[in-house]
Amino acid sequence: MNKKTIEKFFAGDTLTASRLMSVVEKGGADAEDVLNTLFPKMGRAYRIGVTGLTGAGKSTLVNQLTRLYRTRDLTVGVVAEDPTSPFSGGAILGDRVRMLDSHGDAGVFIRSIASRGNETGLSQKASELADILDAFGRDVIFLETIGVGQLEYKIRYSAQTTVVVLTPDAGDDVQSLKSGLMEIGEIFAVNKADRPVADRFADDLRSMLDLRSTGDGWEPPVVCTVATTGEGIDDLAKAIDQHQSYLDTNGLLEKKRIDALTNRVTIIAEEKLREIFWENGYIKERLKSTLDDVLSGTISPYQAADKLVTPFKHDMDNAEGDAR
Ligand SMILES: Nc1nc2c(ncn2[C@@H]2O[C@H](COP(=O)(O)OP(=O)(O)O)[C@@H](O)[C@H]2O)c(=O)[nH]1
Ligand SMILES: [Mg+2]
């Protein structure tokens, strides 16, 4: 990264920040360089994960919360995953439009990433874009992610507080909700509470959460919201404040930081290992010959895979021996 870019970034130039985020989004060596250079300045922002199914009202809620945080004079960054439209392959326009509310306010920086089908990679990208906003000096960063299955589990590692957004959809009861979402929620927003069944849904959710034991002793509150009108937003913000001070007074912020960084290093190391493996000439060569053996029925896929990884395992065993 050149010195001038770094200077401009730290002087608060949004165009430079935006450019660096594009570099990070693309990935590769340049992205690594940016993330390495900015790393010492990361870790100051408070990150709030907002997750839930598409259409639950996450963007609308984030918009309302952003407005509220701005009245507290906090600067805000938003990283939002856009669901990919099956027709255009791009981000659905509506999502961006709804977020336009805060445009023109230099204290709000919104960045959306279109999901490209690579969902595990996406959460990491979202975290890395949040890292940039963190280094850029934003006080609060919202990470809006689409919670599906296992994937949102990873989000927990990059946010201090995770808000799960649910809707009281007709015919849906709490039990049928994806368990993954239930596990990661530190605060539950029952949005679209203008629907008649919302109160019952919230009660069901509360009694279900009562049965759940949380590892860190925090009892996740359930807050009813109507994101379109702003009803319940104050309560939601209050719940976030309470969670933040809970983490703070119980020394859990540091624990989250350790978990997050451990998770990050692990993921990156695995990625690098995979890359090194498949770029290796010997492996490329060996893959062909072992595949021939599998195709002819001489060895099984497991045996073939063993043949590929054995030399690496030897090297690692040696390294382990040397370390002792
Ligand atoms: N009736 C009602 N509609 C809402 C509410 N919150 C969001 N919506 C609408 O639900 C749709 C999806 O909202 P959006 O924020 O884009 O959801 P996301 O996909 O989770 O980000 C939009 O048409 C919103 O206007 C709410 O509390 N009540
Ligand atoms: Mg959205």
Side-chain angles (χ1 to χ4, degrees):
M1 247 176 107
N2 75 51
K3 222 174 142 195
K4 200 143 187 207
T5 308
I6 299 171
E7 272 170 23
K8 273 166 92 179
F9 177 81
F10 287 120
D13 183 47
T14 47
L15 205 65
T16 304
S18 185
R19 244 183 244 136
L20 292 183
M21 288 173 98
S22 300
V23 171
V24 166
E25 207 177 341
K26 246 184 235 140
D30 288 344
E32 246 178 72
D33 179 37
V34 170
L35 292 166
N36 291 344
T37 308
L38 301 184
F39 181 72
K41 298 284 181 191
M42 294 171 195
R44 228 198 88 259
Y46 197 79
R47 299 181 188 210
I48 302 165
V50 179
T51 192
L53 302 179
T54 300
K58 298 180 296 297
S59 296
T60 319
L61 270 177
V62 167
N63 210 357
Q64 294 280 7
L65 286 170
T66 296
R67 211 178 289 160
L68 191 144
Y69 279 101
R70 288 300 290 142
T71 65
R72 296 181 182 178
D73 259 342
L74 296 169
T75 55
V76 175
V78 178
V79 179
E81 270 178 29
D82 277 349
T84 302
S85 156
F87 305 108
S88 66
I92 293 168
L93 184 65
D95 218 54
R96 289 171 195 261
V97 170
R98 265 191 296 284
M99 302 289 290
L100 283 181
D101 241 39
S102 321
H103 277 204
D105 174 2
V108 181
F109 192 117
I110 298 166
R111 177 80 185 200
S112 46
I113 26 173
S115 104
R116 289 183 210 90
N118 176 11
E119 288 181 333
T120 24
L122 196 61
S123 303
Q124 198 195 331
K125 276 281 173 280
S127 301
E128 287 174 351
L129 294 186
D131 286 346
I132 304 290
L133 287 172
D134 187 341
F136 194 56
R138 296 286 118 154
D139 298 314
V140 177
I141 297 167
F142 290 104
L143 278 149
E144 181 194 325
T145 54
I146 306 149
V148 270
Q150 289 279 299
L151 137 82
E152 72 274 10
Y153 179 74
K154 295 238 160 76
I155 299 307
R156 189 175 58 163
Y157 290 106
S158 59
Q160 274 85 17
T161 299
T162 298
V163 179
V164 167
V165 183
L166 303 170
T167 52
D169 284 313
D172 250 20
D173 63 33
V174 175
Q175 316 290 335
S176 70
L177 289 166
K178 290 226 163 78
S179 63
L181 278 178
M182 302 305 291
E183 276 150 31
I184 62 157
E186 285 155 327
I187 293 165
F188 289 85
V190 174
N191 190 43
K192 307 200 181 181
D194 46 335
R195 293 184 181 173
V197 287
D199 284 340
R200 225 204 70 198
F201 184 90
D203 283 342
D204 287 351
L205 182 59
R206 280 189 195 99
S207 42
M208 193 178 152
L209 290 170
D210 275 345
L211 303 174
R212 196 189 79 166
S213 63
T214 53
D216 59 12
W218 167 255
E219 288 171 17
V222 175
V223 183
C224 288
T225 57
V226 183
T228 39
T229 64
E231 207 183 309
I233 296 300
D234 283 343
D235 293 336
L236 182 58
K238 212 176 284 163
I240 296 170
D241 292 342
Q242 279 163 357
H243 185 241
Q244 181 172 12
S245 55
Y246 181 85
L247 293 176
D248 205 12
T249 50
N250 291 285
L252 293 166
L253 282 172
E254 183 57 16
K255 187 185 173 297
K256 284 214 173 204
R257 199 176 95 87
I258 294 168
D259 285 352
L261 290 176
T262 306
N263 184 255
R264 202 63 87 75
V265 173
T266 310
I267 289 174
I268 296 169
E270 280 172 9
E271 223 168 64
K272 282 184 181 284
L273 189 62
R274 196 177 301 128
E275 237 175 75
I276 291 168
F277 188 80
W278 293 118
E279 274 168 13
N280 184 277
Y282 168 83
I283 291 299
K284 281 186 193 159
E285 197 58 32
R286 205 64 206 268
L287 179 65
K288 272 190 224 135
S289 57
T290 47
L291 268 179
D292 284 342
D293 289 342
V294 177
L295 289 170
S296 68
T298 320
I299 58 170
S300 78
Y302 275 98
Q303 289 165 324
D306 271 341
K307 275 185 194 260
L308 290 178
V309 303
T310 297
F312 282 85
K313 190 170 177 325
H314 280 316
D315 278 354
M316 287 206 256
D317 287 346
N318 285 340
E320 197 181 18
D322 290 348
R324 275 203 203 104

